[in-house]
Amino acid sequence: MSVLPLVFTSGWASGVNAYAVVLLLGVFGATGVTDQVPDALQRPDVLIAAGVLFLCEAVADKIPYVDSVWDSVHTVIRPIAGAVVGALLAGQSGSLSDIAAGAVGGSSALLSHVVKAGTRMAVNTSPEPFSNIALSTAEDLGVAALISFAIFHPLAAAIIAGALLLIGLVILVVLWRQIRRFRRRRAQRREEKRLAAAGGAGPDR
């Protein structure tokens, strides 16, 4: 069970930016920082592919509405990445079955992806692009910091990841309630204006 905190944290991070997780873990393993990273993630072709895709995501994730399209495409990719990374980490340590680790990693990745995609859709209701850039940069830095921290302090990192996931779900619910309320009020105002215009035009007919 000692690898479970790292599996959970890597799953959470994969739901935010799976390519960054693979790249960071691979680099940490290849440079000898940790022996917990399996050889499959340290392969040069895997690191190159993860690096290229990370750069693509770094650009797409900062453009309004393009980020939502990117998130839609990765609804399947991120949970699968979280599950695969979790299973590989468990296989490396031998302390947790691959199936259980894959389930933990995939589930945490799916939940964090839902938070990321839903929050980004809410942010896209704002016409300016700066909130997207700030949020994307914060996500990238958060993933890098937490994965790095998890290598040395996996249990503490897992607690932080769990707290971030819970906070993110609460924020997402609040955001969407506010957006629905705003849209209802806007639709009501439009209807009132339409009725007022129709009533004012009635006597002229």
Side-chain angles (χ1 to χ4, degrees):
M1 297 298 291
S2 61
V3 76
L4 185 59
L6 181 58
V7 169
F8 177 80
T9 303
S10 65
W12 172 87
S14 294
V16 179
N17 193 325
Y19 306 123
V21 173
V22 173
L23 182 61
L24 283 168
L25 289 177
V27 169
F28 287 149
T31 55
V33 173
T34 178
D35 58 357
Q36 298 184 68
V37 179
D39 293 338
L41 297 180
Q42 301 179 39
R43 291 169 40 185
D45 56 335
V46 172
L47 293 177
I48 291 172
V52 171
L53 290 169
F54 169 74
L55 291 176
C56 293
E57 175 150 338
V59 174
D61 204 42
K62 294 174 176 60
I63 303 174
Y65 296 103
V66 173
D67 57 352
S68 291
V69 174
W70 184 269
D71 286 338
S72 298
V73 173
H74 285 74
T75 300
V76 176
I77 296 175
R78 287 170 183 158
I80 290 178
V84 170
V85 170
L88 288 173
L89 289 172
Q92 179 76 1
S93 69
S95 60
L96 188 69
S97 74
D98 295 356
I99 295 177
V104 171
S107 298
S108 58
L110 178 59
L111 288 173
S112 63
H113 167 75
V114 169
V115 171
K116 173 186 171 70
T119 303
R120 195 56 60 87
M121 289 177 65
V123 170
N124 281 337
T125 59
S126 173
E128 46 78 28
F130 303 108
S131 53
N132 295 74
I133 296 173
L135 186 57
S136 176
T137 302
E139 289 170 350
D140 293 342
L141 293 175
V143 166
L146 200 55
I147 288 295
S148 301
F149 185 61
I151 293 297
F152 304 101
H153 305 283
L155 182 57
I159 293 173
I160 294 172
L164 290 173
L165 182 59
L166 181 60
I167 293 170
L169 288 170
V170 171
I171 291 175
L172 181 60
V173 171
V174 171
L175 278 175
W176 278 106
R177 283 181 177 175
Q178 293 296 328
I179 290 173
R180 285 201 304 268
R181 193 172 303 159
F182 170 76
R183 288 178 175 173
R184 283 197 300 266
R185 286 199 298 263
R186 186 173 61 179
Q188 184 178 0
R189 285 196 298 267
R190 286 178 178 175
E191 181 65 16
E192 290 172 353
K193 289 180 180 179
R194 186 188 67 80
L195 293 174
D204 296 333
R205 294 177 183 173

